[in-house]
Amino acid sequence: MPQEQYAHRSTMQTSEGPQVYKVGIYGWRKRCLYFFVLLLMILILVNLAMTIWILKVMNFTIDGMGNLRITEKGLKLEGDSEFLKPLYAKEIRSRPGNPLYFQSARNVTVNILNEKTKVLSRLVTGPQAVEAHSQKFEVKTLSGKLLFSADDNEVVVGAERLRVLGAEGTVFPKSIETPNVRADPFKELRLESPTRALVMEAPKGIEINAEAGSLKATCRTELRLESKDGEITLNSAKIKLPNLPRGSSSSAGSRQKIYELCVCPNGRLFLSQAGTSSTCQINTSVCL
C-alpha cells in the first residue's frame, strides 16, 4: 500500500474514534425467546406433574406396579386382573386358602401344546357346554383310584356303584355288559324295552332275585324261557297259571275240579280233567 494512503486511513480512524459492535438479541426476537423458554418450563412442569400423578394412580413402587408385585418366586397379582392377550406361564396358582377363578365373557380355553406348537389336548368351557378334546379322559381320586375313563375304544366306570338318579332311568341303545344290576333299597328295578325285544344272555347262568318283593315279567306277544343243555326249575310253594285253556270235558255234567297239566308238542300248556289215566291225548285239539 502506498505510504500516503496508509497515512490517510490512520488519520481518519484517529479522528473518528473506536467503533463498538453490539452482540446479542434485541427487540421482538428477545421477547419471543423469553416466551419460548417460559413455555418450555411450563411444559416441563406439566409433564413432571403428570408423571407423578400416573405413578401415584398406577401405584408404582420398587416392588411392582398396581396389583402386580415382583417377588423371589415370580409375579404376584392381588385382586382382579385382566389379560387382553395370551398369558404364558409355567404355573398359575392362588394364595394359600383362597380359590382361583377364571372368568370370561364367552369361554375359557386351556390348550396343551408340543414343541411344534401343535395342540395335544384342549379344554373348552363355554356358555353351552364343557368340551374336552384329548386321546383319553380320566377321573381319579386323590389316592389314584380310577373312577371314570373314556377313549375311542371303551368307557370305564371304576366306582364301586353307578347310580342313575333320573326319573326315566338309563337308556342303552345297544348292549350292556355288567355282572350285577340292582336298584336302591326299597326301590323297584325295572328292565324295559318299549319297542324291541329284551334279551339277557350269560355263559354260566342268569339269576333273577327279589328277596323282599315280587318278580313280574310282562310282554305283548311271547315270553320264552329257554335252556339248551339244562333244565328250567320252578321252585315255589304255589305255582299259578290262571289263564291256561281247558280241554273238552270227558263226561257231560261232570263237576270235577281236578285237572291234569298237559304240554303240546309246540310247548303250549293246557288243562285237562284228570282221570284214572292221562287225558292229554283226548284233548289234543287244543294244540291245533
Side-chain angles (χ1 to χ4, degrees), residues 53-90:
W53 179 77
I54 292 174
L55 293 176
K56 183 67 176 178
V57 171
M58 299 300 294
N59 194 14
F60 275 93
T61 61
I62 59 176
D63 296 329
M65 175 189 68
N67 296 330
L68 179 64
R69 295 289 182 268
I70 301 175
T71 62
E72 296 179 355
K73 298 181 179 180
L75 298 179
K76 180 180 179 181
L77 290 174
E78 298 178 354
D80 297 337
S81 302
E82 182 178 358
F83 299 93
L84 302 179
K85 292 185 178 182
L87 173 64
Y88 299 93
K90 182 179 179 180

Coordinates of all heavy atoms in Angstrom, one line a residue, residues 53-90:
W53 N -48.4 -38.0 38.9 CA -49.8 -38.5 39.0 C -50.0 -39.9 38.5 O -50.7 -40.7 39.1 CB -50.7 -37.5 38.3 CG -52.2 -37.8 38.3 CD1 -53.0 -37.7 39.4 CD2 -52.9 -38.5 37.3 NE1 -54.3 -38.1 39.1 CE2 -54.3 -38.6 37.8 CE3 -52.7 -38.9 36.0 CZ2 -55.3 -39.2 37.1 CZ3 -53.7 -39.5 35.3 CH2 -55.0 -39.6 35.8
I54 N -49.4 -40.2 37.4 CA -49.5 -41.6 36.8 C -48.9 -42.6 37.8 O -49.4 -43.7 38.0 CB -48.9 -41.7 35.4 CG1 -49.7 -40.9 34.4 CG2 -48.8 -43.1 35.0 CD1 -49.1 -40.8 33.1
L55 N -47.7 -42.2 38.3 CA -47.0 -43.1 39.3 C -47.9 -43.3 40.5 O -48.0 -44.4 41.1 CB -45.7 -42.5 39.7 CG -44.6 -42.5 38.6 CD1 -43.4 -41.8 39.1 CD2 -44.3 -43.9 38.1
K56 N -48.6 -42.3 40.9 CA -49.5 -42.4 42.1 C -50.7 -43.2 41.8 O -51.1 -44.1 42.6 CB -49.9 -41.0 42.6 CG -50.7 -40.9 43.9 CD -49.9 -41.4 45.0 CE -50.7 -41.3 46.3 NZ -49.9 -41.8 47.5
V57 N -51.3 -43.0 40.7 CA -52.5 -43.7 40.3 C -52.2 -45.2 40.1 O -53.0 -46.1 40.5 CB -53.2 -43.1 39.1 CG1 -54.4 -43.9 38.6 CG2 -53.8 -41.7 39.5
M58 N -51.2 -45.5 39.3 CA -50.9 -46.9 39.0 C -50.1 -47.6 40.1 O -49.9 -48.8 40.0 CB -50.0 -46.9 37.7 CG -50.6 -46.3 36.5 SD -52.1 -47.2 36.0 CE -51.5 -48.8 35.6
N59 N -49.9 -46.9 41.2 CA -49.2 -47.4 42.3 C -47.9 -48.1 42.0 O -47.6 -49.2 42.3 CB -50.2 -48.5 43.0 CG -49.8 -48.8 44.4 OD1 -48.9 -48.2 45.0 ND2 -50.3 -49.9 44.9
F60 N -47.1 -47.3 41.4 CA -45.7 -47.8 41.0 C -44.9 -47.8 42.3 O -44.8 -46.8 43.0 CB -45.1 -46.9 40.0 CG -45.4 -47.2 38.6 CD1 -46.5 -46.6 37.9 CD2 -44.7 -48.2 37.9 CE1 -46.8 -47.0 36.6 CE2 -45.0 -48.5 36.6 CZ -46.1 -47.9 36.0
T61 N -44.2 -48.9 42.6 CA -43.3 -49.0 43.7 C -42.0 -49.7 43.2 O -42.0 -50.2 42.1 CB -43.9 -49.7 44.9 OG1 -44.2 -51.0 44.5 CG2 -45.1 -49.0 45.4
I62 N -41.1 -49.9 44.1 CA -39.9 -50.6 43.7 C -40.1 -52.1 43.6 O -39.3 -52.9 43.1 CB -38.8 -50.3 44.7 CG1 -39.2 -50.8 46.2 CG2 -38.4 -48.9 44.7 CD1 -38.1 -50.6 47.2
D63 N -41.3 -52.6 44.2 CA -41.7 -54.0 44.1 C -42.5 -54.3 42.9 O -42.8 -55.5 42.6 CB -42.4 -54.4 45.4 CG -41.4 -54.3 46.6 OD1 -40.2 -54.5 46.4 OD2 -42.0 -54.0 47.7
G64 N -43.1 -53.3 42.2 CA -44.0 -53.7 41.1 C -44.9 -52.5 40.8 O -44.6 -51.3 41.2
M65 N -46.0 -52.8 40.1 CA -47.0 -51.8 39.7 C -48.4 -52.2 40.0 O -48.8 -53.4 39.6 CB -46.8 -51.6 38.2 CG -47.8 -50.6 37.6 SD -47.7 -50.6 35.8 CE -48.4 -52.2 35.4
G66 N -49.2 -51.4 40.6 CA -50.6 -51.7 40.8 C -50.7 -53.0 41.7 O -50.1 -53.1 42.7
N67 N -51.6 -53.9 41.1 CA -51.8 -55.2 41.8 C -50.6 -56.2 41.5 O -50.7 -57.3 42.0 CB -53.1 -55.8 41.4 CG -54.3 -55.0 41.8 OD1 -54.2 -54.3 42.8 ND2 -55.4 -55.0 41.1
L68 N -49.7 -55.8 40.7 CA -48.6 -56.7 40.3 C -47.4 -56.4 41.2 O -46.9 -55.3 41.4 CB -48.2 -56.5 38.9 CG -47.1 -57.3 38.3 CD1 -47.5 -58.8 38.3 CD2 -46.7 -56.8 36.9
R69 N -46.9 -57.5 41.8 CA -45.8 -57.4 42.7 C -44.7 -58.5 42.2 O -45.1 -59.6 41.8 CB -46.1 -57.7 44.1 CG -47.1 -56.7 44.8 CD -46.3 -55.4 45.0 NE -47.2 -54.4 45.6 CZ -47.9 -53.5 45.0 NH1 -47.9 -53.5 43.6 NH2 -48.7 -52.7 45.6
I70 N -43.5 -58.1 42.2 CA -42.4 -58.9 41.8 C -41.7 -59.5 43.1 O -41.2 -58.8 43.9 CB -41.3 -58.1 41.0 CG1 -42.0 -57.5 39.8 CG2 -40.2 -59.1 40.6 CD1 -41.1 -56.7 39.0
T71 N -41.8 -60.8 43.2 CA -41.2 -61.5 44.4 C -40.1 -62.5 44.0 O -39.8 -62.6 42.8 CB -42.4 -62.3 45.1 OG1 -42.9 -63.3 44.3 CG2 -43.5 -61.4 45.6
E72 N -39.6 -63.1 44.9 CA -38.5 -64.1 44.6 C -39.0 -65.3 43.9 O -38.3 -65.9 43.1 CB -37.8 -64.5 45.9 CG -37.1 -63.4 46.6 CD -36.5 -63.9 47.9 OE1 -36.7 -65.0 48.3 OE2 -35.8 -63.1 48.6
K73 N -40.3 -65.7 44.1 CA -40.9 -66.8 43.4 C -41.5 -66.5 42.1 O -42.0 -67.5 41.4 CB -41.9 -67.5 44.4 CG -41.3 -68.0 45.7 CD -42.3 -68.6 46.6 CE -41.7 -69.2 47.8 NZ -42.7 -69.8 48.7
G74 N -41.6 -65.3 41.8 CA -42.3 -64.9 40.5 C -43.1 -63.6 40.6 O -42.8 -62.8 41.4
L75 N -44.2 -63.6 39.9 CA -45.1 -62.4 39.9 C -46.3 -62.8 40.8 O -46.8 -63.9 40.7 CB -45.6 -62.1 38.5 CG -44.5 -61.7 37.5 CD1 -45.1 -61.4 36.1 CD2 -43.7 -60.5 38.0
K76 N -46.7 -61.8 41.5 CA -47.9 -61.9 42.4 C -48.9 -60.9 42.1 O -48.6 -59.7 42.0 CB -47.4 -61.8 43.9 CG -48.5 -61.9 44.9 CD -48.0 -61.7 46.3 CE -49.1 -61.8 47.3 NZ -48.5 -61.7 48.7
L77 N -50.1 -61.3 41.8 CA -51.2 -60.4 41.4 C -52.2 -60.4 42.6 O -52.7 -61.5 43.1 CB -51.9 -60.9 40.1 CG -51.1 -60.7 38.9 CD1 -51.9 -61.4 37.7 CD2 -50.9 -59.2 38.6
E78 N -52.6 -59.3 43.0 CA -53.6 -59.1 44.1 C -54.9 -58.5 43.5 O -54.8 -57.5 42.8 CB -53.1 -58.2 45.2 CG -51.8 -58.8 45.9 CD -51.3 -57.9 46.9 OE1 -51.8 -56.8 47.0 OE2 -50.3 -58.3 47.6
G79 N -56.1 -59.1 43.8 CA -57.3 -58.6 43.3 C -57.6 -59.1 41.9 O -57.0 -60.1 41.4
D80 N -58.6 -58.5 41.2 CA -58.9 -58.9 39.9 C -57.9 -58.4 38.8 O -57.5 -57.3 38.9 CB -60.3 -58.4 39.5 CG -61.4 -59.0 40.4 OD1 -61.2 -60.0 41.0 OD2 -62.4 -58.3 40.6
S81 N -57.6 -59.3 37.9 CA -56.6 -59.0 36.8 C -57.2 -59.3 35.5 O -57.9 -60.3 35.4 CB -55.3 -59.7 37.0 OG -54.8 -59.4 38.3
E82 N -57.0 -58.5 34.5 CA -57.5 -58.7 33.1 C -56.3 -58.8 32.2 O -55.4 -57.9 32.1 CB -58.4 -57.6 32.8 CG -59.1 -57.7 31.4 CD -60.0 -56.6 31.1 OE1 -60.2 -55.7 31.9 OE2 -60.6 -56.6 30.0
F83 N -56.4 -59.8 31.3 CA -55.3 -60.1 30.3 C -56.0 -59.9 28.9 O -56.9 -60.7 28.6 CB -54.7 -61.4 30.5 CG -54.0 -61.6 31.8 CD1 -54.7 -62.2 32.9 CD2 -52.7 -61.2 32.0 CE1 -54.1 -62.4 34.1 CE2 -52.1 -61.4 33.2 CZ -52.8 -62.0 34.3
L84 N -55.5 -59.0 28.1 CA -56.1 -58.8 26.8 C -55.5 -59.7 25.8 O -56.0 -59.9 24.7 CB -55.9 -57.3 26.4 CG -56.5 -56.3 27.4 CD1 -56.3 -54.9 26.9 CD2 -58.0 -56.6 27.5
K85 N -54.3 -60.3 26.0 CA -53.6 -61.1 25.1 C -53.3 -62.4 25.8 O -53.5 -62.6 27.0 CB -52.4 -60.4 24.5 CG -52.7 -59.2 23.6 CD -51.5 -58.6 23.0 CE -51.8 -57.5 22.0 NZ -50.6 -56.9 21.4
P86 N -52.8 -63.4 25.1 CA -52.4 -64.7 25.7 C -51.4 -64.6 26.8 O -50.5 -63.7 26.8 CB -51.9 -65.6 24.6 CG -52.4 -65.0 23.3 CD -52.6 -63.5 23.6
L87 N -51.6 -65.4 27.9 CA -50.7 -65.4 29.0 C -49.9 -66.7 29.0 O -50.5 -67.8 28.9 CB -51.6 -65.3 30.3 CG -50.8 -65.5 31.6 CD1 -49.8 -64.4 31.8 CD2 -51.7 -65.6 32.8
Y88 N -48.6 -66.7 29.1 CA -47.8 -67.8 29.1 C -47.1 -67.9 30.4 O -46.4 -67.0 30.9 CB -46.7 -67.7 28.0 CG -47.3 -67.7 26.6 CD1 -47.6 -66.4 26.0 CD2 -47.6 -68.8 25.9 CE1 -48.1 -66.4 24.7 CE2 -48.1 -68.8 24.6 CZ -48.4 -67.5 24.0 OH -48.9 -67.5 22.8
A89 N -47.3 -69.0 31.1 CA -46.8 -69.2 32.5 C -46.5 -70.6 32.7 O -47.2 -71.5 32.2 CB -47.7 -68.6 33.5
K90 N -45.6 -70.9 33.5 CA -45.3 -72.3 33.9 C -46.3 -72.8 34.9 O -46.7 -74.0 34.9 CB -43.8 -72.4 34.4 CG -43.4 -73.8 34.8 CD -42.0 -73.9 35.3 CE -41.6 -75.3 35.6 NZ -40.2 -75.3 36.1

